[in-house]
Amino acid sequence: MAETQETGFSFPAKYRLTGEMEGCTDEQKLELYERLLKTREFDARMRKLFRQGRFEGTFYSQIGQEACDVVIAYQLDQQDFVGPSHRDLGASTGKGVPLKNLAAQVYNRIDSPDGGRYTACHYWHPEYWVMNPSTSIVMNWVAATGAAFGYKMLKKDNVAVAFCGDGATAHGDFHEACNFAGVHRLPIVYVVQNNLWAESLPVALTTALTDLSRRADAYGFPGISIDGNDVVQTWNATREALKRARSGAGPTLIEMKTYRWHGHSDIDPADYRSDDEVAHWMERDPIPRYEQYLRELEVLSDDALAEVRARIEAEIEEAVDFAENSPRPAPDGYLSHVYAEDYPGFEFGDRNSGDANG
Amino acid sequence: MAETQETGFSFPAKYRLTGEMEGCTDEQKLELYERLLKTREFDARMRKLFRQGRFEGTFYSQIGQEACDVVIAYQLDQQDFVGPSHRDLGASTGKGVPLKNLAAQVYNRIDSPDGGRYTACHYWHPEYWVMNPSTSIVMNWVAATGAAFGYKMLKKDNVAVAFCGDGATAHGDFHEACNFAGVHRLPIVYVVQNNLWAESLPVALTTALTDLSRRADAYGFPGISIDGNDVVQTWNATREALKRARSGAGPTLIEMKTYRWHGHSDIDPADYRSDDEVAHWMERDPIPRYEQYLRELEVLSDDALAEVRARIEAEIEEAVDFAENSPRPAPDGYLSHVYAEDYPGFEFGDRNSGDANG
Amino acid sequence: MAEITYIDAINRTLHEEMARDETTFLIGEDTGIYGGVFKATRGLLEEFGPERIIDSPISESLIAGMTVGAAMVGCRPLPEIQFADFISPAFDQIVQQVARYYWRTNGAFEMPVTLRCPYGGGVGGGVYHSQSNEAWFMNTPGLVMVAPGSVRDAAGLLRSAIRSQDPVLYWEHKKLYRSLKDDLPDGDETLTPIGVAEVVRTGSHVTAISFGYTLQLCLEATSQLAAEGIEVEVIDLKTLLPLDKSTVIESVAKTGKAVVVHEAPKVGGIGGEIAAILAEECFWELDAPITRVAGYNTSFPAARTMEEHYMPSTVQVAAALKTAAQT
Amino acid sequence: MAEITYIDAINRTLHEEMARDETTFLIGEDTGIYGGVFKATRGLLEEFGPERIIDSPISESLIAGMTVGAAMVGCRPLPEIQFADFISPAFDQIVQQVARYYWRTNGAFEMPVTLRCPYGGGVGGGVYHSQSNEAWFMNTPGLVMVAPGSVRDAAGLLRSAIRSQDPVLYWEHKKLYRSLKDDLPDGDETLTPIGVAEVVRTGSHVTAISFGYTLQLCLEATSQLAAEGIEVEVIDLKTLLPLDKSTVIESVAKTGKAVVVHEAPKVGGIGGEIAAILAEECFWELDAPITRVAGYNTSFPAARTMEEHYMPSTVQVAAALKTAAQT
Ligand SMILES: Cc1ncc(C[n+]2csc(CCOP(=O)(O)OP(=O)(O)O)c2C)c(N)n1
Ligand SMILES: Cc1ncc(C[n+]2csc(CCOP(=O)(O)OP(=O)(O)O)c2C)c(N)n1
Ligand SMILES: [Mg+2]
Ligand SMILES: [Mg+2]
């Protein structure tokens, strides 16, 4: 499969994962592995198809950061609210959104949850409560905070999870949302994926901090920094934070140190960073590290792996077929759902008097 | 004088000021006292005149918080930039802005620095580099940050000082400005006056923090919390922060715990707070505490005090006369300075075709 | 049934609608403990408690933006911006997120959000307590804007807005709060239809088109001109977006003359859109230039002498109507 | 002298003006190290260094707002917003602070700020990479807006904006960046006057009024219609605020017919203001309804099929001009 060689390292001791995954059964460990690998392979496949010009728009690869999304999303109930940003494929795959919907979204076809009208590669799904992410940075953060407020007010036990990047933490809305969540002890977990870059902006120009978890100090709730490429650490930290949120103790901010292997989007050569830096992080690939951990635990056998790969392969094939065969949206298919109510004076418009379809 | 009785306490030991005011000469100590008292008495006089209906608009009293503004403003060079908020009379008086200009500003008369067009009680003066404060919360914070950037870029040695309240720290612009100043180590001192209330909002609904100085932890520069009603502490802390800024070491955030004795504005009965709370803070009045300190140091004698009071009295009388005798602005006096350049198509407007003055 | 003020009609409707629907909550600055800086939300905290009446930090962007997630999970949010002047920090969330979310999700999530916004001058507040900012939002499909010009509509439009599945900006004029009084039957549940303008005076010589506070000037001017035999037809737009084109066109088709009146600066104000609609869709019936009586193209001044000069007056509206009528 | 593109004209002018004035600095997202996401700021960091070319954090409000203090102490700030779609977080600072500061201070402090803003669709970006948001700012006295529709004006308007003492929003259309080419003499220092529109084609039957990208549609349509004997007069507005009323009025007084074309949604777009000016100040010379060819009243769609449908086309502009001409 496309990126197999990229995931094929054998791990020197220093990257070995150690410790317990609290309260995680072997079945769950295996299923989590499958979702991680599925995320990786689907992303790799989409990248390839984009470079082959199979779909328009652009593509934001998450490769390298999968664990930051998948590990926490995997632990959520379907009703729990997820506020992803523009690079959060794993927020959907981790929560179990079928690949075919995601592929159709990338392709802007009518079978996309938004019917092709919104924006390619902005993965979401209404039934899985993964919100339609705003391109506009940290709006999802504010919305997820509002969802957490709503759950609390409506006395539902659900929680919200919001994702953003290192760069997004400089935005004013990041502050207003976190501050409000702190005051009202909202049931939310904030995940900051610090991949060292915001497009071409090095994190040192986003913040004077070394650990973005310290942003939480300004809001009176805990913030921790972890290796987001270490599935075991990530599992334990997110599990703890979700527990905290569900118990009514309030928000947690988790900074996950990670790295995006590819450009900001697939038209970005990313020549602002060094090959050494990229190599350094590819050595810390979260998936093979976790794979080795599972093998050492004898949770993952060659046969099991083969099955997993086969299932993933099949689902990806099906998803790509589905997307490729899903019709392109009707040219005027976006002229609907501007308003939920009817208004006598509203018209979608005309291009010259009277002619409603230009 | 109006508020004399309010300032007439004799101080129990627990409120006694102790310690050195670093690098502050006796003359300076005395002059600082005069500016503090002047601020208090001018504010009290304006309040009285407002209640007598001598001027329109509204009035924001700073009584109780004077030291937070005056002590740092007094230490600045004329070219240093000050970004005050809506309650920062002391930012002007501390820097030496003549009372007559300030009185004319309160009265919205043509001798106001803004000719009466802007907003009553928004004290400022261009020649003293006290910016015209935005009513809109923390815009001054952002502007002062820009000024600090400008000084740094233009390689001038000046610094900027920005003021805001506890409530303002929840605004997104507070975050964006502080974060930027941290990244670029700008020459600025941020002063947060925590007077426990933002209009009717208790500080516990503004933040989950007890010390707002911890907001600074999110930006990688030092933050400290001090008793803003203690002139000695305030002097030493602000002196240190200004030194830091001038030396190129970057910003400091100082939370000053203080209290406004009166309503948010003079139409606010402030019945959301208890008499005990008000009494508690009036006992900690910064001015008599400092007066006692100076007496103990034998820097302030009864004669000296009498002179100071006489000078203040005289300047206030002169300022009030000046404002009362300053003409009201011409009705259309605000129809200017919309643009600095000329544009053929621009008109101030008409109220019906052709009639330029309605 | 007692006479109540415009602001009391707002307050009463908030009480009634929040009692009616437990998924509603109100979030704003000084809206709880203080009951609102104008007392529009008086008594709500006492009745509905701090879970549903939120005294927000000074975070307008949060106030507007958090409603999206809250609405998605089943709430009916009632955000308030303390002064229209401070809606600009929330502009991003309103225009980019709240207004577009239903469209973006291809109809999956409605946004039943009613954002109240006290606007307008004449209260001695200076540039940041006097603005009329409705025009900023006119180019935002997905957003609804209403602006009551009567006590009945203060209640009726608010009730309709709260029950609507669309995001509504509700513009309440500060100068009308206590100056406008009318009978409002207790328990009255009238729903003023959104998107529908009303001819509030019939006349044949010229049409005055306005809303909110400036509507009152049109009505006064109309009475004055009646004495001179000039019959003005007055349209209360009530909804600014989407505009009720047909009511406006029908009236102007009859009178042949139109004067649009608003308080915001003339250039870029909503009068432009109304004039453009008439110039495109009612052109052949026009017998005179379409004029606009509006604020000057400057910021709103503080000194009373200046403020009085800035505010459009009945005299000016009457003059414009007369000029048009006599053309 | 070589043919250069619209974006190269911008880049070259930035180099020249920043070299000319040491108090200028540029702040934006990915404007330094990356040279701008469209490469409009390529080479500036290398030439002027990190003190004057600031790679900002993702803080649009700061990017716009910090310019006020910087300008007060003697800088000439050149902020950039990466996409027009992301100017909304800066809306508050632009409209309330930057645009009003000169007025507020009674003329004590000028605001020589030029904020560049890449706008427009046709680049496959979806709703948040395609917006045309100029109308949001039309009701803001104190603000200037320019929108070049040619390579020469890309340079000439930018140069004039940078040297102006007023705050200027400079709207650069993404679709023109590389599609528009023209000769621009090296060292050319032409200053396109701000506030002045230009008749770029003379004709007697109908006036087309536009700017930026949609101006190109008007020019193409004009050539097509010429074959049918329809003579279109084309006005390039160049400055959107304050509008050059007299040039527009003069032309329409001659042709008697006007079609306004822009990409933003029709309702609340700047076409409304232009139509209103004509309906008020050029009424008696009008021989046909004023029509507007504009974007649909919806958000901007992503799928290519939809995007093509959304974007105004030469065919539609030609049809509108023809209808007007033949009325
Ligand atoms: C308000 C806003 N400003 C700018 C952009 C353009 N933009 C898109 S992604 C991005 C960088 C985000 O960096 P980060 O938050 O670290 O996330 P990452 O891409 O690294 O995952 C920028 C500047 C945007 N989408 N929204
Ligand atoms: C953006 C904005 N939102 C709301 C207001 C209304 N307002 C004026 S002062 C104030 C409270 C400020 O509290 P704080 O920052 O603590 O300063 P203090 O008044 O206590 O000195 C509010 C909400 C405003 N001026 N600007
Ligand atoms: Mg990043
Ligand atoms: Mg306070």
Side-chain angles (χ1 to χ4, degrees):
Chain A
M1 297 193 259
E3 304 284 330
T4 310
Q5 60 280 36
E6 289 188 7
T7 67
F9 299 108
S10 87
F11 273 82
K14 59 177 167 170
Y15 307 134
R16 260 185 82 242
L17 303 187
T18 55
E20 268 290 305
M21 291 170 68
E22 285 155 35
C24 188
T25 66
D26 289 350
E27 294 61 36
Q28 290 175 312
K29 291 196 182 88
L30 212 51
E31 191 177 26
L32 180 58
Y33 177 80
E34 180 160 348
R35 294 208 183 169
L36 284 160
L37 189 61
K38 184 194 290 187
T39 308
R40 166 71 52 92
E41 299 299 344
F42 179 74
D43 189 308
R45 180 63 172 276
M46 288 295 127
R47 272 193 82 221
K48 198 167 172 191
L49 291 163
F50 177 70
R51 296 219 236 54
Q52 292 168 351
R54 301 294 307 161
F55 56 87
E56 67 223 23
T58 183
F59 184 76
Y60 301 96
S61 171
Q62 191 187 24
I63 289 178
Q65 302 183 199
E66 296 90 345
C68 307
D69 274 2
V70 172
V71 173
I72 187 169
Y74 174 71
Q75 299 171 68
L76 300 176
D77 303 337
Q78 178 143 345
Q79 283 289 314
D80 291 331
F81 188 98
V82 176
S85 189
H86 57 288
R87 196 183 301 289
D88 292 311
L89 169 61
S92 288
T93 52
K95 217 178 174 201
V97 178
L99 294 185
K100 58 207 245 312
N101 300 109
L102 302 176
Q105 211 283 333
V106 171
Y107 271 70
N108 280 338
R109 299 297 171 93
I110 60 169
D111 292 302
S112 161
D114 50 67
R117 63 172 54 190
Y118 183 39
T119 299
C121 207
H122 279 45
Y123 306 105
W124 71 290
H125 200 296
E127 284 141 44
Y128 288 81
W129 290 93
V130 179
M131 81 173 276
N132 166 312
S134 284
T135 302
S136 196
I137 288 292
V138 295
M139 280 197 167
N140 58 308
W141 202 258
V142 179
T145 303
F149 171 88
Y151 283 146
K152 187 180 182 198
M153 185 199 114
L154 298 170
K155 307 209 166 18
K156 296 186 183 164
D157 335 306
N158 292 98
V159 301
V161 175
F163 295 97
C164 81
D166 47 295
T169 66
H171 197 286
D173 283 353
F174 172 91
H175 178 69
E176 296 194 358
C178 291
N179 184 63
F180 184 76
V183 170
H184 292 276
R185 304 174 137 261
L186 298 182
I188 186 164
V189 178
Y190 291 116
V191 176
V192 174
Q193 295 176 57
N194 180 356
N195 61 9
L196 304 184
W197 296 92
E199 255 178 285
S200 69
L201 190 75
V203 67
L205 289 179
T206 283
T207 177
L209 298 170
T210 45
D211 290 333
L212 281 165
S213 52
R214 296 208 56 199
R215 297 272 200 215
D217 300 353
Y219 310 118
F221 54 74
I224 56 168
S225 292
I226 64 169
D227 174 357
N229 288 5
D230 175 335
V231 171
V232 180
Q233 251 190 69
T234 305
W235 173 274
N236 291 333
T238 52
R239 182 163 182 273
E240 195 49 41
L242 288 169
K243 240 199 256 157
R244 212 182 115 74
R246 287 195 204 281
S247 73
T252 306
L253 187 148
I254 307 176
E255 178 200 26
M256 301 186 183
K257 315 266 191 190
T258 187
Y259 200 73
R260 62 166 157 81
W261 288 8
H262 304 295
H264 169 68
S265 80
D266 251 67
I267 54 172
D268 168 19
D271 45 23
Y272 40 78
R273 52 189 204 177
S274 71
D275 298 348
D276 288 0
E277 183 180 287
V278 178
H280 169 93
W281 282 95
M282 285 175 84
E283 282 177 9
R284 287 156 180 78
D285 187 337
I287 295 174
R289 284 168 82 188
Y290 183 50
E291 179 176 328
Q292 180 168 326
Y293 174 82
L294 295 183
R295 284 179 182 282
E296 289 171 7
L297 287 180
E298 290 173 354
V299 169
L300 183 66
S301 65
D302 288 342
D303 297 355
L305 182 56
E307 274 177 39
V308 165
R309 289 190 172 280
R311 263 201 304 277
I312 291 172
E313 181 81 27
E315 190 180 348
I316 290 176
E317 286 315 315
E318 180 208 21
V320 172
D321 288 351
F322 180 79
E324 298 243 341
N325 295 316
S326 174
R328 292 184 184 277
D332 64 353
Y334 64 98
L335 297 180
S336 69
H337 300 304
V338 169
Y339 292 104
E341 312 277 357
D342 293 328
Y343 307 100
F346 177 71
E347 295 165 352
F348 286 108
D350 46 27
R351 282 298 164 72
N352 50 67
S353 317
D355 167 14
N357 272 337
Chain B
M1 297 192 259
E3 305 283 332
T4 309
Q5 58 281 32
E6 289 190 5
T7 66
F9 299 108
S10 86
F11 272 83
K14 58 178 166 164
Y15 307 134
R16 259 185 84 244
L17 303 187
T18 55
E20 267 291 301
M21 289 169 70
E22 285 155 35
C24 188
T25 67
D26 289 351
E27 293 61 37
Q28 290 175 312
K29 291 196 181 89
L30 212 52
E31 191 177 24
L32 179 58
Y33 177 80
E34 181 161 349
R35 294 206 183 170
L36 283 161
L37 189 60
K38 184 193 291 188
T39 308
R40 168 69 53 92
E41 298 299 344
F42 179 74
D43 189 307
R45 181 63 172 276
M46 288 295 124
R47 270 193 83 220
K48 198 164 171 193
L49 292 164
F50 177 71
R51 295 217 237 59
Q52 291 168 351
R54 300 297 305 163
F55 56 88
E56 67 220 26
T58 184
F59 184 76
Y60 300 96
S61 172
Q62 191 186 24
I63 289 178
Q65 302 183 202
E66 296 89 345
C68 308
D69 274 2
V70 172
V71 174
I72 186 169
Y74 174 70
Q75 299 171 67
L76 299 177
D77 302 336
Q78 178 142 346
Q79 284 289 315
D80 291 331
F81 188 99
V82 176
S85 189
H86 58 288
R87 196 183 302 289
D88 291 312
L89 169 61
S92 289
T93 52
K95 217 178 173 201
V97 178
L99 294 185
K100 58 208 246 310
N101 301 110
L102 302 176
Q105 210 283 333
V106 172
Y107 271 68
N108 279 338
R109 299 298 171 91
I110 60 169
D111 293 303
S112 162
D114 51 67
R117 63 172 53 191
Y118 183 39
T119 299
C121 208
H122 280 44
Y123 307 104
W124 71 291
H125 200 297
E127 283 140 45
Y128 288 82
W129 289 94
V130 180
M131 80 173 278
N132 166 313
S134 283
T135 303
S136 196
I137 288 293
V138 295
M139 280 198 168
N140 58 307
W141 202 258
V142 179
T145 303
F149 170 88
Y151 282 145
K152 187 179 182 200
M153 185 198 115
L154 298 170
K155 308 207 167 17
K156 297 186 183 165
D157 325 314
N158 292 98
V159 301
V161 175
F163 296 97
C164 81
D166 47 295
T169 66
H171 197 286
D173 283 354
F174 172 92
H175 177 70
E176 295 194 359
C178 291
N179 184 63
F180 185 76
V183 170
H184 293 275
R185 305 174 136 262
L186 298 182
I188 187 164
V189 178
Y190 292 116
V191 176
V192 175
Q193 295 175 57
N194 180 355
N195 61 9
L196 303 185
W197 296 91
E199 253 177 285
S200 69
L201 191 74
V203 68
L205 289 179
T206 282
T207 177
L209 298 171
T210 45
D211 291 333
L212 281 165
S213 52
R214 296 206 57 198
R215 296 271 200 216
D217 301 352
Y219 311 118
F221 54 74
I224 57 169
S225 292
I226 63 170
D227 174 358
N229 289 6
D230 176 336
V231 171
V232 179
Q233 249 190 70
T234 304
W235 173 274
N236 291 333
T238 52
R239 182 163 181 272
E240 196 48 42
L242 287 168
K243 239 197 260 160
R244 211 181 114 76
R246 287 195 203 284
S247 72
T252 305
L253 188 148
I254 307 177
E255 177 199 27
M256 300 186 184
K257 314 266 192 189
T258 187
Y259 200 74
R260 63 167 157 82
W261 289 7
H262 304 295
H264 169 69
S265 80
D266 251 68
I267 55 173
D268 168 21
D271 45 21
Y272 40 80
R273 52 189 205 178
S274 72
D275 298 348
D276 288 359
E277 183 179 287
V278 178
H280 169 93
W281 282 95
M282 286 174 85
E283 283 177 9
R284 287 157 181 77
D285 186 337
I287 296 174
R289 285 168 82 187
Y290 183 51
E291 179 176 328
Q292 181 167 326
Y293 174 82
L294 294 182
R295 284 177 180 283
E296 290 170 6
L297 287 180
E298 289 172 359
V299 168
L300 183 65
S301 65
D302 288 343
D303 298 354
L305 182 54
E307 274 177 40
V308 166
R309 288 190 172 279
R311 261 200 307 276
I312 291 171
E313 181 81 26
E315 191 182 348
I316 291 175
E317 285 316 314
E318 181 207 19
V320 173
D321 288 350
F322 179 78
E324 299 242 340
N325 296 316
S326 174
R328 291 183 186 278
D332 63 353
Y334 64 98
L335 296 180
S336 69
H337 301 304
V338 169
Y339 291 105
E341 312 277 357
D342 293 329
Y343 306 99
F346 178 70
E347 295 164 352
F348 286 108
D350 47 27
R351 281 300 163 69
N352 49 69
S353 317
D355 167 14
N357 272 338
Chain C
M1 71 187 187
E3 265 217 336
I4 70 169
T5 60
Y6 183 93
I7 192 167
D8 288 338
I10 292 167
N11 180 260
R12 195 169 102 182
T13 307
L14 287 171
H15 275 279
E16 290 167 357
E17 291 301 307
M18 290 195 74
R20 180 176 179 276
D21 183 345
E22 290 199 330
T23 69
T24 53
F25 69 90
L26 192 143
I27 180 169
E29 292 162 6
D30 303 291
T31 45
I33 296 164
Y34 203 63
V37 292
F38 304 104
K39 302 298 172 192
T41 55
R42 197 168 62 289
L44 292 171
L45 178 64
E46 293 70 9
E47 184 172 347
F48 302 107
E51 295 75 22
R52 290 177 59 196
I53 307 298
I54 312 304
D55 269 314
S56 171
I58 304 173
S59 304
E60 287 80 12
S61 187
L62 179 277
I63 288 170
M66 64 84 75
T67 67
V68 171
M72 285 175 76
V73 302
C75 299
R76 191 169 287 272
L78 305 176
E80 174 188 306
I81 297 294
Q82 192 170 73
F83 287 84
D85 314 70
F86 308 131
I87 200 171
S88 34
F91 182 83
D92 184 35
Q93 288 285 351
I94 294 168
V95 163
Q96 300 289 29
Q97 185 86 329
V98 179
R100 301 183 198 274
Y101 204 74
Y102 178 65
W103 179 90
R104 262 166 53 184
T105 59
N106 205 16
F109 292 99
E110 298 174 332
M111 283 293 128
V113 177
T114 300
L115 188 147
R116 290 176 33 255
C117 194
Y119 77 106
V123 294
V127 53
Y128 296 116
H129 288 83
S130 305
Q131 296 176 18
S132 299
N133 294 329
E134 64 282 356
W136 294 349
F137 299 91
M138 279 302 280
N139 200 214
T140 306
L143 194 64
V144 174
M145 295 200 283
V146 299
S150 70
V151 171
R152 281 159 186 270
D153 287 337
L157 282 172
L158 182 55
R159 183 171 282 108
S160 295
I162 293 172
R163 297 186 190 181
S164 161
Q165 290 307 104
D166 285 321
V168 180
L169 292 195
Y170 177 94
W171 298 91
E172 46 194 71
H173 199 292
K174 302 191 291 292
K175 207 169 155 60
L176 297 182
Y177 272 157
R178 292 171 174 83
S179 63
L180 224 52
K181 295 193 186 59
D182 195 0
D183 295 330
L184 196 67
D186 296 323
D188 169 85
E189 286 216 14
T190 310
L191 293 160
T192 306
I194 295 177
V196 180
E198 185 183 347
V199 174
V200 290
R201 293 280 186 288
T202 53
S204 56
H205 298 148
V206 55
T207 302
I209 302 157
S210 195
F211 62 94
Y213 167 67
T214 47
L215 175 72
Q216 318 307 315
L217 306 183
C218 295
L219 294 170
E220 289 163 20
T222 298
S223 315
Q224 290 173 16
L225 293 173
E228 305 178 36
I230 297 172
E231 297 169 10
V232 181
E233 180 144 303
V234 181
I235 292 181
D236 180 355
L237 287 171
K238 301 188 181 193
T239 297
L240 308 182
L241 186 70
L243 281 164
D244 177 1
K245 301 200 306 186
S246 56
T247 300
V248 174
I249 291 169
E250 215 172 279
S251 170
V252 177
K254 181 179 76 177
T255 64
K257 295 157 183 180
V259 175
V260 189
V261 186
H262 58 68
E263 193 175 315
K266 180 175 180 176
V267 171
I270 74 160
E273 181 62 28
I274 294 161
I277 289 167
L278 292 170
E280 179 162 5
E281 301 180 42
C282 192
F283 178 76
W284 302 112
E285 291 76 12
L286 287 171
D287 303 324
I290 302 166
T291 52
R292 293 179 282 171
V293 178
Y296 290 105
N297 297 315
T298 172
S299 288
F300 197 105
R304 185 171 298 145
T305 49
M306 293 171 161
E307 179 173 42
E308 280 164 7
H309 178 271
Y310 181 94
M311 293 291 284
S313 71
T314 303
V315 177
Q316 293 149 348
V317 173
L321 288 166
K322 190 171 179 175
T323 307
Q326 293 177 344
T327 300
Chain D
M1 70 187 190
E3 265 215 336
I4 70 170
T5 59
Y6 183 93
I7 192 167
D8 288 338
I10 291 167
N11 181 261
R12 196 169 102 182
T13 306
L14 287 171
H15 275 279
E16 290 166 357
E17 291 301 307
M18 289 195 75
R20 179 175 177 276
D21 184 344
E22 290 200 331
T23 68
T24 54
F25 70 88
L26 193 143
I27 180 170
E29 292 162 7
D30 304 290
T31 44
I33 296 163
Y34 204 63
V37 292
F38 304 104
K39 303 298 172 192
T41 55
R42 197 170 63 275
L44 292 171
L45 177 64
E46 294 70 9
E47 185 173 348
F48 302 107
E51 295 75 21
R52 290 176 60 197
I53 307 298
I54 312 305
D55 269 314
S56 170
I58 304 173
S59 304
E60 286 80 13
S61 187
L62 178 277
I63 288 171
M66 65 84 73
T67 66
V68 171
M72 285 175 76
V73 302
C75 298
R76 192 169 286 272
L78 305 176
E80 174 187 307
I81 297 294
Q82 193 170 73
F83 287 84
D85 315 69
F86 308 132
I87 200 170
S88 36
F91 182 83
D92 185 34
Q93 288 284 350
I94 294 168
V95 163
Q96 300 289 29
Q97 185 87 327
V98 179
R100 300 183 198 273
Y101 204 74
Y102 178 65
W103 179 90
R104 263 167 52 185
T105 59
N106 205 18
F109 291 98
E110 298 174 333
M111 282 293 130
V113 177
T114 300
L115 189 149
R116 290 176 33 256
C117 194
Y119 78 105
V123 294
V127 52
Y128 295 116
H129 287 84
S130 306
Q131 296 175 18
S132 299
N133 294 328
E134 64 282 355
W136 294 348
F137 299 91
M138 279 301 280
N139 200 216
T140 306
L143 195 64
V144 174
M145 294 200 284
V146 300
S150 70
V151 172
R152 279 156 188 272
D153 287 338
L157 281 172
L158 182 55
R159 183 171 284 107
S160 296
I162 293 172
R163 296 187 191 180
S164 161
Q165 291 307 106
D166 284 321
V168 180
L169 293 195
Y170 177 94
W171 298 90
E172 46 194 69
H173 199 292
K174 303 192 291 291
K175 206 170 157 64
L176 297 182
Y177 272 155
R178 294 174 173 79
S179 64
L180 224 52
K181 295 194 186 57
D182 196 1
D183 295 330
L184 196 67
D186 296 322
D188 169 86
E189 285 217 14
T190 311
L191 292 160
T192 306
I194 295 177
V196 179
E198 186 184 346
V199 175
V200 290
R201 292 280 187 288
T202 53
S204 56
H205 298 148
V206 56
T207 302
I209 303 158
S210 194
F211 61 94
Y213 166 68
T214 47
L215 175 72
Q216 318 307 316
L217 306 183
C218 295
L219 293 171
E220 290 163 18
T222 298
S223 315
Q224 290 174 14
L225 292 173
E228 305 178 37
I230 297 171
E231 296 169 10
V232 181
E233 180 144 304
V234 181
I235 292 180
D236 180 356
L237 287 171
K238 302 189 181 192
T239 297
L240 308 182
L241 186 70
L243 282 163
D244 177 1
K245 301 201 303 186
S246 55
T247 300
V248 174
I249 290 169
E250 216 171 280
S251 170
V252 177
K254 181 180 76 177
T255 63
K257 294 153 184 185
V259 176
V260 189
V261 186
H262 58 67
E263 191 175 317
K266 180 175 180 176
V267 171
I270 74 159
E273 182 61 29
I274 294 162
I277 289 167
L278 292 170
E280 178 162 5
E281 301 181 41
C282 192
F283 177 76
W284 302 110
E285 290 77 13
L286 287 171
D287 302 324
I290 302 166
T291 52
R292 293 178 283 171
V293 179
Y296 289 105
N297 297 316
T298 172
S299 289
F300 197 105
R304 185 171 297 145
T305 48
M306 293 170 160
E307 179 173 42
E308 280 163 7
H309 178 270
Y310 181 93
M311 292 292 283
S313 72
T314 303
V315 176
Q316 293 150 347
V317 173
L321 287 166
K322 189 171 180 176
T323 307
Q326 294 177 345
T327 302

